[in-house]
Amino acid sequence: MPTYAIYLTSGFGLLLVLFVFLFCLSLRRYQRVIAVNKRFIQTICDIYEQVYELNLTNNEFYQYFILNGMLKKTKMHEPLSDYLPRVTSEHVYQNDVAMIKDFLTIERLQSVSDEECNLKIEYRRLSPQGTPYWCMLMVQGLPKSRRQPAIVILYVCDINESKSKERQAHQNLKQALENAERLNEVKGNFTSCISHEIRTPLNAIMGYLRIARDHKNDPKHVVECLDKAEIASNHLLSLVNDILDVSAIENGKLSLGEHPFKLRDFIASLDKLYYEQASEAGIDFLITLKDITEENLVSDDMRLRQILLNLLNNAFKFTPKGGRVELIVCQNAIVNNVAHMSFTVADTGVGMREDFIKYIFNAYEQEDSATARKYGGSGLGLNIVKGLVEMMGGSVEVVSAIGKGSRFTVNLPIQSTPYEMPKGAQCRAIARLRILAVSDDRGTLEIISRLVHRLDMHCDTAISCFVAMDKIKKIAGEGGNYDLCLLDWDTQGQDGTKCCAQMRELLGDDLRIAALVGTNALNLSAHAAELTLWRVIQKPLNHSILLDFFAEIVSAQEEKSEPGVQKMDFSGHCVLLVEDNNLNREIGREVLKNVNLDVEVAVNGAEAVEMFTQKPEGTYQLILMDIQMPVMDGFAATRQIRACEHSDAQTIPIIALTANAYPSDVNKSLAAGMNAHASKPIDPDALYSILEKFLTIKQGV
Amino acid sequence: MEAETKVLLMDYGLDLNNTLARFMGNEKLMLSFLQELPEDESYPMMADARERGDWETCSFAAHALKGLSGNLGLVGLYKRSSEYMIALRTNDEADEKRLFPLMCEEYDRAVAMVHRITK
């Protein structure tokens, strides 16, 4: 202890402490610098695929790499002078070998070291799979002092992704430039074309006005000139409208309306518009409607018309005499009251080059200036078509071949609205009509069935005249008759006449036969009386046409049965009426007795079950069941009846009769085993219609 | 049908055409059923059940009254009983309290009309 004290108090001791303190301080600083450098090199190794330290003085080199998260520096055993020629030939894409050899020489590296500068080069390396990818090689000379060797750091970095992005950006830029140049060109062409288009009618207007003034004393001539000037004005107006439409669509300023319209009227207006034009041009114009079941539509009919007019105008413009233009309207599917429709305009005209088709919907485009000169037009029509179709949520497609014609198909979802349905007594009378549809085309039968079912009617179908005759004979054997036979004349071909004659032979004039024809309706109409046809109906059939005919038949039947009132007669049938309320029960009994039904009553479900089970087979032909009753409700009673051993248990019709018409009640009725549902207050006609479905009726006056 | 009766029915707002159609155009039959309205047990059953808080019976009777008033063409009563039924069905206490007096009022009006045509 005293020895330490001597040291500490002496000057030497103090110096020693100071030395140790300074040593520790500089050691810590050195370690910090080492750590920072290590972190920096580690980051460099992370960024670059390969990092080498090339010692030019000693002709050796080291590789830096990360192993298990630790930075490693490994001396390579090969001399640098041997390594360089090898590395420039291995793993380098063949086309870039010469460039790399020239870049990576000892002389060049020496100069990089001397100048303490850096050099970069991009080249393609080969992956282990042999595919080339872009890399960047950089050499950097480290600052050196007299005592330190000449060192150059070599980095290799994968730049394939950024290179590819750069290439893509370059490509995009090139494409944008090309597009801009093209747009500029077409706009230039458009300006000259549109100037010509505007000038032509304008010149005509001015010319005719001048001629009219010159002939002011010849009123006939003046009127002719004014008529022609008016035509030219209309043309000019439509051209200006086109330009405004394109502008509105492009700027998103065009809004679509929603108007209800009838497809039949809409198509008829197009037919009317083009019929004469087609005749004059010697072009065959056909309109075909396929699978149309929804004809009450809601859309912007004016814009839809504009779309079809543009397509039809083009079709007529590019179709020579003797050719054909066809408009095919098809309802492909109906989903949630939306009709998915296609409108196809097909022509046998000049067609288009395949390479032009991709530009066809661009604004201001025409196939070439010769087209514009020969056929006229602004080149805006199809751009408007595409713009409008897209606004309406649809699409447009085109198929075309030079010399063979073009086919444009517009697919549009269009809202449909409920059909006008007959009401009250007319509805019930129509529902009672018996219809037979005869066609050898299953599609036609399917459409007719769908349309007829929509009117809550039943329709028998026959795939041939032979089958039809069988059905007619069967109904006649039961003492009945069809009220209308829809006979597909086209598919029956010449047999239509024969089939019609066979039906007449069996039934005389009692059966109304309506011939369905696709074409030449007028020709057949001329012979309708001779062929004993009630009507000749142009296909396609639709809801309104059928409804009109059915109403006509009902009205004719009513006239025939006047002055007496036709009344149903269910005599011979016994109905069990189950109703707890005394007054309602009596009212129900009166309503049922009115159509000659025998009525027995039960005051609750339990009594009904008892009555039914105790009576012999065939006592009741139908049960009218109230739902909410004391003791046992209608659901439980129905379930018990259906489950009992009685031989009528499964077959007897049970009709729910209740003031609750909620869907849940209807579903519960059906689930309990009831066959149908009639609502209170009792509507006698509606109730009779339901009874008619389950009981055999006798028609009486 | 006497003109005076017809006026009373129309004043009340009876759905004359449809109701007559329900009774096959037989006015006498229609009037005879109408005259039985005050004797029908649905209304008193409903009022009594309501007072006792027996909502099941109340709903049951209201349903019967709805069917009956519909059959008799008593449009006002049919409408009120339908609304009341919905209130009961949806357990809407506020609506039940609001609609019950309105339905009673309508029932009284219908019964008063029946008494007048009976006289």
Side-chain angles (χ1 to χ4, degrees):
Chain A
M1 195 64 115
T3 317
Y4 292 134
I6 292 165
Y7 280 136
L8 284 173
T9 49
S10 72
F12 177 76
L14 278 173
L15 274 173
L16 187 64
V17 169
L18 187 64
F19 174 76
V20 169
F21 173 74
L22 287 174
F23 176 76
C24 289
L25 195 68
S26 54
L27 186 66
R28 277 187 66 191
R29 194 173 290 161
Y30 176 73
Q31 281 172 339
R32 252 200 319 267
V33 169
I34 293 285
V36 168
N37 286 346
K38 206 172 168 182
R39 269 209 307 277
F40 178 72
I41 296 171
Q42 202 158 353
T43 308
I44 296 287
C45 288
D46 282 343
I47 294 170
Y48 294 97
E49 208 171 75
Q50 290 171 348
V51 180
Y52 294 97
E53 183 183 311
L54 314 180
N55 189 327
L56 304 177
T57 313
N58 301 338
N59 191 25
E60 59 191 23
F61 69 106
Y62 301 83
Q63 182 175 13
Y64 288 95
F65 57 93
I66 307 287
L67 184 68
N68 299 327
M70 298 292 291
L71 177 69
K72 300 276 179 197
K73 180 181 176 184
T74 306
K75 184 180 177 189
M76 309 306 282
H77 300 296
E78 199 176 7
L80 180 63
S81 51
D82 292 352
Y83 168 71
L84 285 181
R86 186 173 62 76
V87 82
T88 52
S89 54
E90 283 176 9
H91 311 302
V92 176
Y93 182 56
Q94 198 181 352
N95 293 7
D96 295 347
V97 169
M99 178 180 75
I100 288 293
K101 271 189 189 299
D102 181 48
F103 179 79
L104 222 53
T105 57
I106 291 285
E107 294 73 28
R108 188 182 294 266
L109 294 176
Q110 193 62 57
S111 94
V112 166
S113 172
D114 293 345
E115 291 169 26
E116 295 178 12
C117 64
N118 65 56
L119 287 177
K120 291 175 192 167
I121 187 166
E122 287 174 1
Y123 72 108
R124 282 162 292 183
R125 278 172 72 91
L126 289 172
S127 71
Q129 290 77 29
T131 46
Y133 65 98
W134 280 96
C135 283
M136 188 187 72
L137 190 148
M138 187 166 84
V139 285
Q140 182 162 27
L142 289 191
K144 58 181 183 185
S145 56
R146 267 179 304 168
R147 269 185 268 167
Q148 281 178 333
I151 290 175
V152 169
I153 304 290
L154 183 148
Y155 314 89
V156 178
C157 172
D158 181 349
I159 56 164
N160 204 43
E161 196 181 330
S162 59
K163 194 80 178 167
S164 149
K165 279 182 186 165
E166 187 190 324
R167 253 199 329 269
Q168 188 59 46
H170 180 75
Q171 188 65 28
N172 291 348
L173 209 60
K174 197 175 160 194
Q175 188 65 45
L177 182 68
E178 276 175 16
N179 287 349
E181 281 170 357
R182 183 177 168 76
L183 189 66
N184 219 15
E185 187 188 339
V186 290
K187 279 199 172 178
N189 290 345
F190 167 73
T191 309
S192 86
C193 177
I194 210 78
S195 306
H196 170 75
E197 283 295 315
I198 289 176
R199 232 186 356 249
T200 306
L202 205 55
N203 281 340
I205 295 165
M206 290 167 70
Y208 284 123
L209 289 177
R210 195 169 53 244
I211 296 169
R213 187 181 291 117
D214 292 347
H215 295 80
K216 60 186 173 200
N217 295 327
D218 181 353
K220 198 179 160 195
H221 204 143
V222 169
V223 169
E224 266 177 28
C225 288
L226 291 178
D227 283 347
K228 284 174 181 167
E230 191 179 3
I231 292 169
S233 307
N234 286 336
H235 175 63
L236 184 60
L237 181 65
S238 75
L239 192 66
V240 172
N241 281 342
D242 273 2
I243 297 169
L244 292 176
D245 279 348
V246 167
S247 167
I249 292 170
E250 277 180 358
N251 298 321
K253 286 186 179 165
L254 191 97
S255 56
L256 294 172
E258 282 197 349
H259 316 290
F261 66 99
K262 282 190 184 298
L263 184 64
R264 184 170 49 155
D265 298 343
F266 177 80
I267 298 297
S269 72
L270 292 175
D271 189 20
K272 199 173 165 189
L273 188 68
Y274 286 100
Y275 180 78
E276 207 171 314
Q277 185 183 336
S279 299
E280 279 175 12
I283 294 170
D284 199 9
F285 178 49
L286 296 175
I287 294 184
T288 307
L289 285 91
K290 282 184 184 169
D291 302 335
I292 304 291
T293 55
E294 306 297 315
E295 54 172 320
N296 290 352
L297 304 175
V298 178
S299 180
D300 193 328
D301 54 331
M302 198 187 82
R303 295 295 177 188
L304 179 60
R305 190 179 159 84
Q306 187 179 5
I307 290 169
L308 295 180
L309 288 187
N310 267 316
L311 295 178
L312 284 167
N313 283 344
N314 276 352
F316 277 102
K317 195 195 291 184
F318 294 108
T319 302
K321 191 175 177 179
R324 191 180 72 244
V325 171
E326 194 174 3
L327 169 65
I328 304 155
V329 183
C330 184
Q331 263 171 7
N332 301 310
I334 315 293
V335 183
N336 297 331
N337 289 332
V338 174
H340 292 265
M341 304 199 56
S342 65
F343 299 85
T344 301
V345 175
D347 65 62
T348 57
V350 296
M352 286 174 286
R353 288 195 324 265
E354 201 182 333
D355 60 330
F356 178 64
I357 291 175
K358 62 183 171 187
Y359 299 115
I360 186 88
F361 294 110
N362 291 0
Y364 321 119
E365 291 277 3
Q366 287 204 329
E367 193 160 6
D368 50 43
S369 53
T371 308
R373 277 197 306 277
K374 185 172 175 187
Y375 297 103
S378 58
L380 295 175
L382 290 177
N383 180 255
I384 293 173
V385 166
K386 190 161 191 282
L388 290 176
V389 167
E390 283 175 356
M391 279 182 76
M392 292 167 119
S395 62
V396 55
E397 296 152 12
V398 57
V399 179
S400 186
I402 287 280
K404 290 187 177 169
S406 304
R407 187 183 184 88
F408 287 82
T409 302
V410 170
N411 300 301
L412 284 178
I414 301 182
Q415 192 71 34
S416 66
T417 58
Y419 276 88
E420 174 198 349
M421 294 296 280
K423 287 177 188 152
Q426 192 195 34
C427 168
R428 290 185 286 279
I430 286 180
R432 282 197 287 272
L433 291 178
R434 288 179 168 183
I435 310 296
L436 174 65
V438 188
S439 172
D440 53 14
D441 174 33
R442 288 189 190 277
T444 303
L445 291 179
E446 171 64 25
I447 292 276
I448 295 174
S449 293
R450 267 155 62 187
L451 291 170
V452 169
H453 284 157
R454 184 181 281 168
L455 289 160
D456 206 17
M457 297 166 69
H458 176 69
C459 173
D460 282 341
T461 56
I463 197 73
S464 69
C465 187
F466 182 75
V467 177
M469 289 306 293
D470 257 6
K471 297 207 172 199
I472 290 171
K473 279 178 199 165
K474 193 178 167 205
I475 290 271
E478 291 167 1
N481 193 5
Y482 286 108
D483 296 288
L484 176 65
C485 172
L486 295 163
L487 181 60
D488 190 346
W489 206 263
D490 289 345
T491 51
Q492 292 293 328
Q494 292 182 332
D495 287 337
T497 318
K498 201 171 154 189
C499 188
C500 192
Q502 282 179 16
M503 289 177 183
R504 289 275 170 251
E505 198 177 323
L506 187 70
L507 297 169
D509 293 337
D510 285 349
L511 180 65
R512 292 177 186 84
I513 301 174
L516 303 179
V517 288
T519 51
N520 298 326
L522 289 174
N523 289 350
L524 190 61
S525 294
H527 301 287
E530 187 187 322
L531 292 164
T532 66
L533 293 174
W534 177 64
R535 288 285 186 281
V536 174
I537 306 172
Q538 173 94 48
K539 283 196 285 186
L541 266 182
N542 61 42
H543 179 90
S544 321
I545 293 176
L546 274 186
L547 187 55
D548 288 350
F549 286 136
F550 294 159
E552 194 179 334
I553 295 171
V554 165
S555 156
Q557 284 177 344
E558 279 169 0
E559 273 176 31
K560 204 174 166 184
S561 64
E562 290 290 341
V565 178
Q566 197 164 29
K567 188 177 134 184
M568 289 187 195
D569 182 357
F570 292 104
S571 55
H573 296 299
C574 184
V575 168
L576 175 60
L577 171 65
V578 192
E579 165 69 63
D580 65 310
N581 184 276
N582 185 34
L583 267 177
N584 280 339
R585 199 164 55 238
E586 289 313 308
I587 293 169
R589 189 204 292 268
E590 290 298 332
V591 171
L592 296 171
K593 275 167 67 182
N594 184 48
V595 284
N596 303 329
L597 280 164
D598 288 334
V599 184
E600 289 189 14
V601 295
V603 299
N604 58 50
E607 198 176 298
V609 174
E610 195 184 339
M611 286 174 75
F612 175 77
T613 50
Q614 287 182 359
K615 294 282 169 66
E617 178 184 349
T619 303
Y620 303 116
Q621 280 69 54
L622 187 140
I623 299 173
L624 269 174
M625 181 79 79
D626 188 16
I627 298 295
Q628 234 177 63
M629 290 181 291
V631 187
M632 183 187 286
D633 68 18
F635 299 133
T638 303
R639 278 194 290 272
Q640 287 204 11
I641 289 172
R642 293 291 184 217
C644 76
E645 300 283 308
H646 196 281
S647 50
D648 290 338
Q650 298 304 317
T651 52
I652 188 159
I654 304 177
I655 315 296
L657 186 65
T658 175
N660 283 350
Y662 302 106
S664 59
D665 293 320
V666 178
N667 291 339
K668 271 167 83 179
S669 312
L670 298 176
M674 298 189 186
N675 300 78
H677 190 276
S679 61
K680 277 196 278 188
I682 296 173
D683 175 349
D685 284 338
L687 180 60
Y688 297 156
S689 288
I690 293 170
L691 295 179
E692 194 190 354
K693 287 183 181 168
F694 297 98
L695 301 173
T696 314
I697 186 175
K698 288 179 184 172
Q699 294 285 351
V701 176
Chain B
M1 194 193 307
E2 287 176 17
E4 196 186 342
T5 306
K6 198 169 181 179
V7 169
L8 284 171
L9 294 176
M10 289 172 77
D11 274 355
Y12 167 78
L14 191 108
D15 180 9
L16 198 55
N17 288 340
N18 282 326
T19 311
L20 261 178
R22 189 167 300 120
F23 293 99
M24 293 70 69
N26 188 335
E27 294 172 354
K28 207 171 156 189
L29 188 67
M30 182 188 78
L31 290 175
S32 74
F33 275 112
L34 268 174
Q35 283 163 9
E36 285 189 46
L37 174 72
E39 309 306 320
D40 184 73
E41 58 192 13
S42 312
Y43 179 76
M45 186 198 282
M46 179 183 66
D48 180 52
R50 182 178 188 271
E51 211 166 297
R52 285 185 286 108
D54 178 359
W55 296 112
E56 195 180 332
T57 308
C58 182
S59 174
F60 179 82
H63 175 76
L65 186 64
K66 176 187 164 188
L68 177 64
S69 55
N71 271 339
L72 293 176
L74 302 164
V75 179
L77 184 57
Y78 178 70
K79 186 168 168 279
R80 288 295 180 206
S81 50
S82 300
E83 288 169 354
Y84 188 60
M85 267 297 296
I86 292 171
L88 290 174
R89 206 180 161 112
T90 55
N91 292 322
D92 189 332
E93 273 183 50
D95 255 12
E96 191 280 329
K97 277 189 186 137
R98 184 176 63 81
L99 291 168
F100 184 72
L102 296 175
M103 189 177 61
C104 293
E105 195 180 304
E106 198 55 52
Y107 177 78
D108 291 342
R109 206 166 73 81
V111 170
M113 179 271 289
V114 169
H115 285 320
R116 289 176 76 182
I117 58 169
T118 311
K119 277 179 194 168

